[in-house]
Amino acid sequence: MDQDELRALEDQCIQEHAPECTATCPIHVDARGICIEIAKGDFATGLKIFRKTAPFPGILSQLCDQPCQTTCLRKDIGGAIELRKLEQALMNFGGAVEHPRPLPAKPRNVAVIGAGMSGLTVAYDLAKKGYQVVIFEKEPVPGGIINEVPEDFLSQKTISDDLQVLSTFKVDLRCSTEIEDFNLIDNHQFEINGDLFDTVFVGIGKNGVLPQPLISDDDVLSVDPRTFETKIPGVFAAGSMLAGTPVIILDAKVELPHSIIQSMAQGRKAALSMDRYLQKVSLTAARKNEGSYKTRLFTNIERYESQPVIFPEDPSGIYQNTEAIQEAQRCIQCECMECVKDCVFLQEYGSYPKRYLREIYNNLSIVSGTRGKNQMINSCSLCGLCAEICPEDLNMADVCLEARRTMVTQKRMPPSAHDFALQDMQFSNSDHFSMIRHQPGTTASGVLFFPGCQLCASSPEDVETLYKLLIKNFQSKAGEGIGLALGCCGAPAEWAGQEDLFQTTQKKFFESYQSIGTPLLLVACSSCFHIFKKYYPDLKLKSLWVYLDELDMKLPDLSEKRMALSIQDPCTTRYEREIQDSVRQLIEKTGIQIEELPLNREHTECCSYGGNMWVANRDLAKKVVERRINQSSLDYITYCAMCRDFFAKSGKGTLHLLDLLFHSDSLTERKLKAAPDFSFRHENRARLKNKLKKTLWGEMIMEPEPYEKIKLILTDDVRKRMEDRMILVEDVQKVIEYAERTHNKLQNSTSGNFLAHYCPASVTYWVEYQPAEGGFEVFTAYCHRMTIEDEVKE
């Protein structure tokens, strides 16, 4: 990922974009932030937030025509937030208004002609930046049309308090002053009433008289709408003299010839142009999202219930403290966070994709030092739910997978991160389990059945039954049958970012596949189906569940059980509508009723097996499982062995689809059947291969390895600890076999127990044991994801 790619990805995350209210507000008042503070009862902090963008908060809180209400997302679920009343509450309960401090003085002079709201805002913004500002106003008081508002609605005290900030900024306000002389000087200065200025703003109102040099032949002032610069460089103009639409402040029964907040916005935009003019930089560059604009922020209002507007009980329309708090609490706090709300992985690290992207980029860029985001990168299940939910299609799975590949290439991937999953894959593709055969009695295969390693590990007896069922129902040409291939598709290597290992695994399988004629590949495992389809789009590929749905075969009638189950779609079938439909049709044919989970089909959630999450971050994996199994009170049914086993292990009654087909008389027992532990998963695969070779093909069983002859005596407590630590029986066997053969072991003089270690790859295993009648009694076993230097590996 380079900087350009990072920025493109960051741009897809819209969480930091402004909410509709702020984007619509011409001066971008942080309405969301204000509501957060008022909802907590913190009016003082709310006032500070309001003050950041509102130059004259008292005036604005009384006279704003609230364009924000037109786009407030609350408007359709109870009514738009009464922001102006909340701003008034800030003025009433927020304490004294703290004026901002100006920047150090700059030796440049600015003239503002007209003390209406646009001119006053120009003066405020430029004086705040340190410029020397003089305001010329022909009326005896500043403010323009706001002085026409009735005193009982907008008091002169409020106006005076707001304009006091101009004195703090040392603005020279000259009221009752007509423009008698306005001259252009050759050195790009302007002489006004005898004083020299470097730039000028004109905001004289609709009825004002333009200084003579600014009057064109048609008596119209020409202004650039982007910058408010006139045809005379250095002279800018805005306000109601250009355009103005009357507005009505309904609760005050006040009609104004133009919007006060729009005048402030124009003044702010003109002030920015004048600042750039004085600094001799582009007036037009990088001026995105000035004034009202359309935000990209998406907020799903379906997540919120309707709540009515809180109106003041006081006839004056002024909120009491508690009323303001209640109204502020109605704000839904617009944000996207759609992916985070439905992804335990994204929730786990307390932020959102844009920040995660920067953290991942920085983690990959570290040359030396601690790479603190390795676990985060390795913990994503790569399920792709985030991309499906995201309104901008940002896929953190792609980012995390690419980051893993980069870490592997840079030799920075911690060996322990995915080690257990890769060892499991290695076992599945070893002679212990891997094989490929034509159907017994045939010399060709029209179909090759690939059940996948995890279904064979979980329910080897069902795989045997299933294969025999497929043979029975296969309609083929003479001499053709349904072949069988056992092994792993390589998904753990792909998920680990181990591209070379993945390619080697795939190459080995496809060489075997091609050796039997490239028949239709019939796949039971959704992860295998996803891998084959992703990397071999031209492959003749079919899901087992679609194949079974198309077969005209008798299914068990379970309608009398009146059973309803919630269905879990494996995440790797997210976009496989045909598979999803076939599974549901098979279930319905048995008479079982299906209840859909809140997130299903293309929005389904991962069980934590995907992406090797279950080994990279076991605590997070538990949270993922807990979230999913608590989404329905019904028992679950799925067509993924790992979904079934992970859910059942956490206490959720869960059936595999094959349970309906082959165990319809014992579903109550099957849904609570304990998943085999890691050691038995290996053993189940090896036994399945040996049994099928012997019973179907009449082949000899492979001679066991020396370590397999080691007989272990294990208590239930030791077995549980081994399972929790991801230590297999064969790992313990290898340690003891190595220790007994090489005598590389230590003996405790008190207990007489032996302590030995062995490091077959990147994990060192330690076992405390003692020879016993019939084998070796194991007292404890543990491991660490590191190697002991100078140890000779066999």
Side-chain angles (χ1 to χ4, degrees):
M1 185 194 308
D2 59 26
Q3 280 281 359
D4 290 339
E5 291 172 319
L6 172 66
R7 292 192 188 96
L9 289 167
E10 285 181 324
D11 185 60
Q12 282 185 265
C13 182
I14 56 177
Q15 170 59 17
E16 294 180 1
H17 286 241
E20 294 281 358
C21 52
T22 298
T24 303
C25 175
I27 62 171
H28 305 154
V29 169
D30 183 5
R32 181 175 60 186
I34 288 172
C35 287
I36 287 176
E37 300 306 327
I38 295 179
K40 295 187 298 187
D42 190 348
F43 290 86
T45 300
L47 181 57
K48 289 179 181 179
I49 293 173
F50 183 35
R51 191 72 175 85
K52 284 181 180 179
T53 50
F56 308 109
I59 296 169
L60 188 62
S61 68
Q62 295 297 114
L63 297 181
C64 182
D65 52 300
Q66 301 186 101
C68 57
Q69 286 198 323
T70 64
T71 56
C72 174
L73 297 188
R74 252 301 172 200
K75 70 180 187 298
D76 297 322
I77 43 177
I81 300 298
E82 289 290 330
L83 187 63
R84 187 174 68 244
K85 293 186 187 305
L86 292 179
E87 291 169 350
Q88 292 168 6
L90 291 177
M91 302 305 297
N92 292 334
F93 308 120
V97 176
E98 182 180 343
H99 295 317
R101 295 180 180 179
L103 294 176
K106 295 182 175 68
R108 309 301 292 274
N109 298 323
V110 176
V112 174
I113 302 175
M117 293 316 301
S118 61
L120 290 172
T121 302
V122 169
Y124 174 93
D125 281 3
L126 292 179
K128 183 180 176 183
K129 292 179 178 181
Y131 293 107
Q132 311 305 303
V133 180
V134 176
I135 302 176
F136 298 93
E137 170 57 49
K138 70 175 183 178
E139 300 296 335
V141 293
I145 63 170
I146 66 172
N147 293 301
E148 302 172 12
V149 177
E151 172 74 17
D152 60 353
F153 187 73
L154 179 64
S155 68
Q156 284 299 316
K157 182 179 185 308
T158 297
I159 297 174
S160 176
D161 287 347
D162 267 5
L163 299 188
Q164 181 62 38
V165 69
L166 299 178
S167 297
T168 303
F169 290 170
K170 298 182 179 180
V171 172
D172 183 357
L173 176 59
R174 303 177 184 179
C175 292
S176 302
T177 302
E178 296 276 359
I179 303 300
E180 298 175 354
D181 295 301
F182 187 109
N183 300 305
L184 278 62
I185 310 301
D186 290 341
N187 60 353
H188 302 294
Q189 286 188 312
F190 307 90
E191 183 183 30
I192 301 176
N193 290 1
D195 293 326
L196 292 179
F197 298 93
D198 299 293
T199 183
V200 178
F201 174 79
V202 180
I204 57 175
K206 281 188 174 182
N207 300 320
V209 179
L210 288 170
Q212 187 62 38
L214 302 181
I215 300 175
S216 60
D217 294 339
D218 53 5
D219 208 25
V220 174
L221 183 63
S222 178
V223 176
D224 186 328
R226 296 173 301 169
T227 64
F228 291 134
E229 187 175 33
T230 67
K231 289 185 176 180
I232 302 175
V235 177
F236 301 81
S240 60
M241 64 178 294
L242 302 181
T245 302
V247 296
I248 298 176
I249 313 300
L250 291 175
D251 52 358
K253 298 180 180 179
V254 172
E255 183 174 352
L256 299 173
H258 58 268
S259 167
I260 295 299
I261 197 168
Q262 290 290 354
S263 291
M264 290 182 181
Q266 289 183 9
R268 178 147 291 167
K269 190 172 182 179
L272 177 59
S273 295
M274 296 167 76
D275 179 38
R276 290 186 172 196
Y277 172 80
L278 293 172
Q279 294 189 59
K280 301 187 183 331
V281 296
S282 171
L283 269 59
T284 58
R287 300 195 66 157
K288 188 177 180 181
N289 297 341
E290 285 187 289
S292 297
Y293 67 94
K294 181 62 179 175
T295 182
R296 285 170 56 198
L297 183 69
F298 170 80
T299 301
N300 185 2
I301 63 173
E302 294 180 1
R303 296 181 183 268
Y304 303 92
E305 296 180 355
S306 178
Q307 292 182 12
V309 175
I310 305 297
F311 291 107
E313 291 186 4
D314 192 312
S316 68
I318 301 299
Y319 276 137
Q320 295 300 312
N321 181 300
T322 55
E323 292 173 328
I325 291 173
Q326 292 173 353
E327 177 63 10
Q329 289 172 343
R330 292 180 60 247
C331 175
I332 64 176
Q333 292 300 307
C334 291
E335 61 176 4
C336 182
M337 299 291 278
E338 287 300 291
C339 58
V340 178
K341 292 170 185 174
D342 286 323
C343 175
V344 180
F345 162 69
L346 294 176
Q347 294 167 14
E348 178 73 3
Y349 295 95
S351 194
Y352 48 88
K354 184 171 184 177
R355 292 187 178 178
Y356 293 148
L357 288 165
R358 179 63 61 173
E359 290 171 0
I360 291 171
Y361 175 82
N362 291 339
N363 196 77
L364 297 178
S365 302
I366 293 174
V367 176
S368 62
T370 303
R371 299 176 182 88
K373 299 303 174 181
N374 284 353
Q375 188 188 50
M376 182 184 78
I377 292 169
N378 287 318
S379 295
C380 176
S381 69
L382 308 181
C383 75
L385 175 60
C386 55
E388 179 60 31
I389 292 175
C390 175
E392 300 283 329
D393 301 322
L394 177 57
N395 193 335
M396 286 300 296
D398 289 345
V399 174
C400 288
L401 180 57
E402 186 58 35
R404 294 178 195 181
R405 290 170 175 165
T406 300
M407 290 166 65
V408 170
T409 302
Q410 296 174 341
K411 301 187 185 305
R412 294 174 180 173
M413 174 64 76
S416 62
H418 305 276
D419 181 76
F420 190 85
L422 296 176
Q423 285 189 48
D424 190 60
M425 184 191 80
Q426 183 179 11
F427 177 88
S428 293
N429 288 328
S430 71
D431 290 339
H432 290 286
F433 177 60
S434 178
M435 78 169 190
I436 188 165
R437 297 285 188 278
H438 290 301
Q439 178 183 319
T442 68
T443 57
S445 294
V447 173
L448 181 65
F449 178 43
F450 189 84
C453 57
Q454 296 302 342
L455 181 59
C456 295
S458 179
S459 302
E461 72 283 357
D462 286 347
V463 173
E464 179 183 3
T465 304
L466 181 58
Y467 183 48
K468 291 177 180 177
L469 176 68
L470 293 172
I471 291 174
K472 179 181 176 181
N473 288 274
F474 183 59
Q475 302 293 326
S476 68
K477 301 175 184 178
E480 273 193 349
I482 288 191
L484 178 68
L486 300 180
C488 177
C489 67
E494 196 237 5
W495 294 338
Q498 299 279 354
E499 291 186 279
D500 290 344
L501 179 58
F502 176 66
Q503 293 297 331
T504 300
T505 303
Q506 290 275 289
K507 181 180 178 182
K508 180 180 177 182
F509 170 76
F510 275 95
E511 285 175 351
S512 299
Y513 170 67
Q514 290 167 350
S515 71
I516 63 168
T518 65
L520 172 70
L521 190 60
L522 186 63
V523 181
C525 171
S526 61
S527 295
C528 297
F529 186 92
H530 176 75
I531 287 290
F532 290 139
K533 184 175 181 179
K534 177 180 178 180
Y535 290 98
Y536 299 91
D538 298 328
L539 182 69
K540 292 180 288 184
L541 184 66
K542 195 162 204 173
S543 166
L544 168 70
W545 315 114
V546 175
Y547 187 87
L548 290 179
D549 186 37
E550 292 172 350
L551 285 179
D552 186 19
M553 61 184 224
K554 183 175 177 57
L555 297 177
D557 184 359
L558 304 174
S559 56
E560 292 185 359
K561 293 183 180 291
R562 300 182 181 278
M563 183 184 293
L565 299 169
S566 290
I567 185 167
Q568 158 72 5
D569 293 301
C571 61
T572 40
T573 65
R574 188 176 308 285
Y575 301 112
E576 303 299 338
R577 177 66 63 157
E578 183 182 28
I579 297 177
Q580 297 165 357
D581 288 345
S582 292
V583 166
R584 284 160 174 76
Q585 286 160 192
L586 284 168
I587 296 171
E588 289 169 353
K589 287 176 184 178
T590 68
I592 298 292
Q593 294 181 352
I594 296 173
E595 180 179 291
E596 298 289 351
L597 290 169
L599 293 173
N600 60 76
R601 293 188 181 264
E602 66 271 14
H603 290 130
T604 191
E605 296 183 58
C606 183
C607 69
S608 80
Y609 176 66
N612 299 332
M613 177 193 281
W614 65 288
V615 289
N617 192 331
R618 298 185 73 187
D619 290 338
L620 176 61
K622 290 177 183 177
K623 294 178 184 178
V624 168
V625 171
E626 285 298 319
R627 169 185 159 93
R628 190 57 165 168
I629 64 178
N630 289 323
Q631 291 176 359
S632 173
S633 60
L634 295 178
D635 293 327
Y636 285 9
I637 186 168
T638 185
Y639 42 109
C640 167
M642 297 309 289
C643 289
R644 189 272 155 196
D645 286 352
F646 283 167
F647 293 171
K649 187 176 182 179
S650 293
K652 183 69 174 180
T654 308
L655 295 169
H656 192 280
L657 181 51
L658 292 180
D659 289 324
L660 295 189
L661 304 184
F662 302 145
H663 305 282
S664 59
D665 58 345
S666 58
L667 295 181
T668 301
E669 295 79 11
R670 297 291 295 188
K671 70 183 181 183
L672 297 173
K673 174 190 168 189
D677 65 22
F678 299 132
S679 295
F680 273 116
R681 299 186 81 84
H682 278 205
E683 191 171 330
N684 283 343
R685 293 176 199 145
R687 285 180 176 176
L688 175 64
K689 174 184 176 179
N690 288 336
K691 183 179 180 182
L692 293 178
K693 284 178 66 177
K694 183 177 180 180
T695 60
L696 294 183
W697 285 278
E699 299 179 17
M700 296 294 292
I701 298 175
M702 185 175 65
E703 181 70 20
E705 297 283 348
Y707 72 84
E708 294 178 290
K709 298 176 183 179
I710 298 291
K711 303 300 182 184
L712 301 181
I713 301 171
L714 301 168
T715 65
D716 290 342
D717 183 59
V718 171
R719 277 191 175 276
K720 184 179 184 303
R721 272 181 281 155
M722 288 171 56
E723 179 77 359
D724 291 343
R725 295 167 181 173
M726 292 186 172
I727 299 174
L728 304 175
V729 166
E730 64 189 68
D731 296 326
V732 176
Q733 289 174 315
K734 288 177 181 178
V735 173
I736 295 176
E737 190 279 331
Y738 175 72
E740 292 296 305
R741 175 167 49 86
T742 63
H743 303 289
N744 187 6
K745 56 186 177 180
L746 301 173
Q747 186 173 29
N748 187 309
S749 59
T750 302
S751 66
N753 295 344
F754 291 102
L755 180 65
H757 72 272
Y758 181 64
C759 182
S762 58
V763 179
T764 301
Y765 298 94
W766 296 82
V767 178
E768 183 182 351
Y769 70 98
Q770 191 175 87
E773 186 177 351
F776 295 87
E777 183 176 4
V778 177
F779 299 101
T780 190
Y782 56 93
C783 65
H784 48 74
R785 264 55 187 174
M786 64 181 72
T787 59
I788 297 178
E789 294 301 323
D790 300 325
E791 179 180 348
V792 178
K793 298 177 184 177
E794 293 197 346

